[in-house]
Amino acid sequence: MMRHLCDTVPDMLWAQDLEGKFIFVNQKAASVLLKTDDTNEPVGKTINDYPVFSPVVQYQNQICEPPVRDKDCPDTTSARQAIIQSDNKEIELEVRSAPFYTTSGELIGTVAAGRDVTEAREAHRIIQKERKRYSSIFESVHI
């Protein structure tokens, strides 16, 4: 049931151990981020095992690194932007991650969620551009 829930979520979900090895990926993360249909295939591998990332990822080290290794800050999360190349187009991700602890409080890695914000960011850029254009038009009109 939990696997089905995670695979139904529209966001990319993954967890990594302290060495950066995947311990979990949902279907969306497997297909979009890692370019595989098998969610078990990435387990035990790192992001560097996927050549799709080599030349095209910006902030590669920030996508899949633990944001905090401090046990005293269990609620700390971080948000990062990453741009990846997927099917010959750039995808802008918003990545939120947090430390991942065992039930006994031992830090074992990072859990993360990535959301494709490409369309939203592009819409925002278009709105900003139009806002500037209309602003300059209104400023040039003397009433």
Side-chain angles (χ1 to χ4, degrees):
M1 178 67 146
M2 187 55 93
R3 164 54 75 179
H4 181 67
L5 174 72
C6 290
D7 287 339
T8 303
V9 172
D11 292 339
M12 293 166 255
L13 305 174
W14 65 91
Q16 292 172 285
D17 66 16
L18 292 174
E19 296 176 0
K21 294 178 183 172
F22 289 104
I23 53 180
F24 172 84
V25 296
N26 73 345
Q27 189 62 52
K28 186 78 165 191
S31 63
V32 174
L33 202 58
L34 304 175
K35 297 296 180 197
T36 181
D37 293 328
D38 182 1
T39 58
N40 293 315
E41 188 263 326
V43 174
K45 295 181 180 178
T46 70
I47 197 73
N48 296 324
D49 292 318
Y50 292 89
V52 68
F53 283 99
S54 300
V56 294
V57 174
Q58 295 180 5
Y59 316 116
Q60 175 176 335
N61 294 332
Q62 294 179 357
I63 290 179
C64 297
E65 277 189 4
V68 172
R69 293 181 190 243
D70 184 357
K71 186 178 174 186
D72 297 327
C73 302
D75 296 329
T76 303
T77 61
S78 63
R80 297 180 290 269
Q81 296 297 317
I83 299 175
I84 66 169
Q85 188 78 23
S86 178
D87 301 325
N88 296 321
K89 68 176 185 171
E90 285 187 347
I91 296 176
E92 190 169 352
L93 301 178
E94 178 180 87
V95 179
R96 300 191 63 78
S97 57
F100 187 34
Y101 297 95
T102 64
T103 54
S104 61
E106 178 186 357
L107 178 65
I108 58 171
T110 304
V111 62
R115 175 171 288 170
D116 183 346
V117 294
T118 309
E119 289 180 13
R121 297 294 167 131
E122 183 58 27
H124 180 73
R125 285 191 261 286
I126 290 169
I127 290 169
Q128 291 298 98
K129 182 179 175 182
E130 290 300 308
R131 190 174 282 162
K132 284 181 184 177
R133 186 171 76 99
Y134 285 118
S135 177
S136 66
I137 291 171
F138 287 126
E139 288 173 8
S140 67
V141 174
H142 300 290
I143 298 178

